[in-house]
Amino acid sequence: MSGAAARLAPVLSSLAAIAGALLVGGLFLEARGKDAVGGYRLMVERGLGSSFGLTEIAIKAAPLLLVGAGLLIALKAGVWNIGVDGQFLIGALAAGVVAPGLSGTLPNAAVLLLAALGGAVGGLAWATIPALLRVRFGLNEIITTLVMTSVAINLSAWLVKGPLKDPDVVPPQTRLLAKAERVPDIPGTEVHAGLIAGLVAVAGVAVLFGATVPGFRLWVLGQNPRAARHAGMDVGRLTAGALLASGALAGLAGANDVLGVRGLFQANWNPGYGLAGFALVYLARLRPLVVIPVAFFFSFLLLGGDLMSRARDVPTQFVEVLEGLMLVFFAVAVALERGRWPHRRRSAAVEGSPGPLPAQASGEAA
Amino acid sequence: MTDLPVADFLSALLGSGLLLAVPLLLAALGEAFAERAGLLNLGIEGMMLGGAFAGFAVALETGRIAAGVAAGAALGVALGSGFGLLTIWLRVDQVLTGLAITILGSGLTGFLYRDLYGGQNRPLPTTAARLDLPVLTDVPVVGRALFGQPLLVYLAWAAVPIAALVLGRTRFGLAVRAVGEAPFAADAAGIGVAQTRFAAILIGGAAAGLGGAFLAVVDVRTFTDNMTLGQGFLALALTMLGRWRPWRILAGALLFGMLRSLETGLPILGMDVRPEFVGMLPYLGLLAALVVLARRAAMPAALGVPYERGRR
């Protein structure tokens, strides 16, 4: 097989997965008596053919890029951060408390930067507990990050209904930031600057893994934890670092939504970017620069789901159905790819999956 | 009688705690089979949701609780076989497959609930029959709670010794443990690795679907969006906490059910605490218990590793 075909195969697998999901999703809609073709046309016409649509897509891409950047670091290092939703919520709450708390005392730009920092620190703090449990006690982070998300859902709801609630309004929420207090738009657009943070984050991950020693170490850890240990790397520290960085970026995504879009943190709000982030990073084959277009595509789907629910009476959960279908088809495509080109087996595994479960590594990390 | 609320409190705690424990217990017992065989199923959450919705829909249409419960288990088996096909036959990454099933379960149930039932809160017209054990139900405080439960609760309890027996004392249980610990050796000894793992994930799927159906049909008696609220993931944690042993899993599930029933129980004592605060405690307790009991737990050695003959 020629080199070009080998390079194209992963791209084709992901595209085939997307096409397959749209097809089966469309058939499902038709089977439920909905107009799938009309719905998809609406997605394209309103989503891509209007400045409203393009603006919305750009805005919705920012948290996906930030979450995706974080998941890239963790998954490339073979660390399973399944608790993105919890880190996101704590980061969002932190930003929603810091920004109104500081507003007026400092220039607005400084307030926003500190609030964003608060969000990142919140997410990082939330990832610290699973990181410690993994490194000190060998507890599998798949389980602990999931449990931490359940804690975060309850904790954030409790805090915003009680101690951190804005006393001047009835609904449980933090104080609403005025439009002028939120993240400013990129000049010439109606897209707030969070998008730049997202793009910088993904580019930063690309540089981290493409050109730095820590990135190389994380990559080795993801490929073969035993080799990393034998090469004298501090596996515990690398693992913790990957989890913390991943949590900080998830927290920053939470801050992005609060400071740039919603202006407040509300009880029982959870957009659930974690699972979407997983699907998106896998479809991008864990390649940082591919994450950017895939994130925009997912954002297009999210907007399309909103549009279809409003105009075509299609429940918004249709987007989740598409994401799930994409993952299934992607999994099948990767398996077929492996079967068809056996000599590429090794690299197919490299691109498609972040290596062995930490279960194997943790025993030795002891 | 100023101490009466305490008895009420204990009775309520026990009664609702036992109900809350059942879906977790079922799902975690099933996951014990899957993990012992080397399969980590992050799709439990989606399987439970699927079972909850299928159970609710069938029970609503047929008016029969038993039909709903059976439908939930059947859907769990179907999703389990999907997981098995992808991870065992195609050797797809287990975490990826599990998360895909969870997203699909959440998306499809939410979609269909809205599409078929308008997203309205539709309670089931019938209640699951309670099996009141005579005399025993008259025991003060614990009597009603322990011995006046729906039939399926007793069946879930009975599943514990059965699971322990099957895993520990039968040829099939030995095969399950063998393919999870040393698949190459098991294969060399003539045990069908793929078949055994497939059987284990079918058990896991059935149990998760049954747990979800119990939640929707017997306990809550309606369906709501994402009503499992992470219980599938919790079952994973309980499986690990119980170190894949049915009796320990039962202990964990009961403890967790009791802690969760504090949410409804504490107001009876006149304590004014926010439900979210109480809701957080079981999870923190779970983390603490994991640190104490499950640190450096010896996992099934081949957990998460696809088996391919001749490729070590």
Side-chain angles (χ1 to χ4, degrees):
Chain A
M1 184 176 60
S2 72
R7 247 171 293 143
L8 265 180
V11 181
L12 289 177
S13 295
S14 291
L15 288 178
I18 290 170
L22 288 173
L23 182 68
V24 172
L27 291 175
F28 172 70
L29 282 185
E30 289 287 344
R32 295 297 321 140
K34 318 250 180 221
D35 177 11
V37 177
Y40 284 158
R41 184 182 295 148
L42 179 81
M43 274 171 82
V44 174
E45 279 172 3
R46 291 275 289 142
L48 299 179
S50 70
S51 67
F52 157 81
L54 294 174
T55 301
E56 282 295 307
I57 289 174
I59 292 173
K60 285 179 197 284
L64 291 172
L65 287 166
L66 287 166
V67 162
L71 279 174
L72 275 172
I73 297 176
L75 294 181
K76 269 176 139 12
V79 177
W80 295 92
N81 181 12
I82 321 267
V84 166
D85 287 349
Q87 295 143 13
F88 176 94
L89 285 178
I90 297 299
L93 178 63
V97 169
V98 170
L102 292 179
S103 100
T105 60
L106 291 166
N108 201 40
V111 171
L112 285 171
L113 282 177
L114 284 173
L117 187 68
V121 170
L124 183 142
W126 212 245
T128 304
I129 297 168
L132 276 177
L133 293 177
R134 165 77 197 272
V135 174
R136 305 272 311 187
F137 300 116
L139 280 181
N140 186 323
E141 74 276 10
I142 296 181
I143 307 290
T144 53
T145 52
L146 282 169
V147 174
M148 287 301 287
T149 292
S150 294
V151 178
I153 289 171
N154 283 289
L155 177 69
S156 61
W158 171 58
L159 287 175
V160 82
K161 284 180 183 178
L164 299 180
K165 181 181 174 303
D166 175 3
D168 299 333
V169 294
V170 177
Q173 58 192 40
T174 57
R175 186 173 77 67
L176 179 67
L177 294 172
K179 276 267 189 289
E181 292 176 303
R182 296 185 200 167
V183 178
D185 288 343
I186 300 168
T189 69
E190 290 173 42
V191 180
H192 74 84
L195 178 64
I196 296 175
L199 290 170
V200 168
V202 175
V205 173
V207 172
L208 173 72
F209 283 97
T212 72
V213 173
F216 176 71
R217 291 195 169 130
L218 288 171
W219 179 78
V220 172
L221 176 67
Q223 294 304 307
N224 189 338
R226 198 173 300 179
R229 194 167 304 110
H230 284 312
M233 297 179 192
D234 188 340
V235 168
R237 224 166 124 164
L238 284 171
T239 304
L243 205 46
L244 295 189
S246 182
L249 284 163
L252 200 56
N256 170 84
D257 276 18
V258 166
L259 302 175
V261 184
R262 303 171 57 85
L264 48 64
F265 182 88
Q266 274 172 313
N268 304 326
W269 166 68
N270 180 6
Y273 288 125
L275 287 175
F278 249 92
L280 115 77
V281 170
Y282 266 111
L283 278 178
R285 309 298 288 258
L286 298 186
R287 291 189 185 181
L289 293 179
V290 184
V291 161
I292 294 175
V294 181
F296 278 99
F297 176 69
F298 269 57
S299 160
F300 162 70
L301 288 182
L302 284 176
L303 173 68
D306 285 352
L307 292 172
M308 279 164 85
S309 95
R310 255 176 270 156
R312 305 273 155 161
D313 194 29
V314 173
T316 46
Q317 282 86 352
F318 182 59
V319 178
E320 269 183 287
V321 175
L322 285 181
E323 286 169 2
L325 286 173
M326 275 189 254
L327 271 186
V328 171
F329 284 120
F330 171 73
V332 174
V334 171
L336 289 179
E337 205 179 279
R338 230 175 10 207
R340 197 173 303 156
W341 298 298
H343 62 278
R344 271 186 50 79
R345 221 177 237 157
R346 183 80 199 107
S347 46
V350 168
E351 290 151 21
S353 123
L357 276 179
Q360 283 81 54
S362 66
E364 294 163 45
Chain B
M1 293 277 276
T2 47
D3 56 344
L4 241 187
V6 177
D8 287 349
F9 166 72
L10 287 176
S11 185
L13 202 64
L14 206 56
S16 72
L18 291 177
L19 278 177
L20 289 169
V22 169
L24 289 171
L25 173 64
L26 286 170
L29 283 178
E31 176 65 8
F33 276 87
E35 287 190 21
R36 274 286 176 91
L39 299 169
L40 182 76
N41 179 12
L42 284 182
I44 299 189
E45 179 76 6
M47 295 180 183
M48 286 182 82
L49 265 176
F53 183 78
F56 164 76
V58 170
L60 191 69
E61 304 298 339
T62 62
R64 294 171 56 95
I65 298 289
V69 170
L75 191 75
V77 169
L79 291 175
S81 60
F83 185 93
L85 282 179
L86 285 170
T87 59
I88 301 167
W89 183 48
L90 290 176
R91 295 190 297 275
V92 172
D93 185 276
Q94 292 175 10
V95 175
L96 175 68
T97 308
L99 289 177
I101 289 178
T102 290
I103 304 183
L104 267 181
S106 161
L108 277 176
T109 55
F111 185 105
L112 290 174
Y113 180 53
R114 226 151 245 116
D115 195 30
L116 293 173
Y117 302 108
Q120 310 280 315
N121 198 337
R122 291 264 294 256
L124 290 174
T126 44
T127 319
R130 279 172 192 276
L131 188 69
D132 285 354
L133 302 179
V135 186
L136 287 175
T137 41
D138 298 331
V139 176
V141 186
V142 299
R144 273 242 63 85
L146 272 179
F147 303 110
Q149 296 281 4
L151 182 64
L152 200 54
V153 174
Y154 304 111
L155 291 180
W157 292 346
V160 177
I162 294 173
L165 202 72
V166 170
L167 270 176
R169 303 249 179 262
T170 65
R171 190 174 281 268
F172 172 68
L174 183 65
V176 165
R177 287 179 287 140
V179 301
E181 289 292 345
F184 293 95
D187 194 9
I191 296 173
V193 177
Q195 293 91 318
T196 308
R197 286 189 169 176
F198 207 88
I201 191 62
L202 290 188
I203 294 173
L210 200 61
F214 177 88
L215 181 70
V217 176
V218 179
D219 187 9
V220 185
R221 295 185 46 225
T222 184
F223 183 85
T224 50
D225 270 344
N226 280 316
M227 72 182 302
T228 47
L229 292 174
Q231 288 194 54
F233 296 135
L234 202 59
L236 278 170
L238 282 178
T239 311
M240 193 176 166
L241 181 65
R243 297 195 179 193
W244 309 274
R245 288 162 200 271
W247 287 105
R248 294 191 193 184
I249 289 171
L250 172 69
L254 286 178
L255 188 68
F256 203 85
M258 297 298 158
L259 283 172
R260 275 200 56 206
S261 69
L262 280 177
E263 229 170 279
T264 47
L266 285 180
I268 295 179
L269 283 184
M271 289 178 73
D272 178 32
V273 279
R274 291 203 161 269
E276 292 83 7
F277 183 76
V278 186
M280 192 167 70
L281 300 179
Y283 298 99
L284 291 175
L286 181 65
L287 281 179
L290 280 170
V291 171
V292 175
L293 296 173
R295 61 166 117 172
R296 314 223 183 279
M299 299 205 172
L303 185 61
V305 186
Y307 177 70
E308 191 178 352
R309 190 176 277 179
R311 264 193 99 220
R312 255 178 209 271

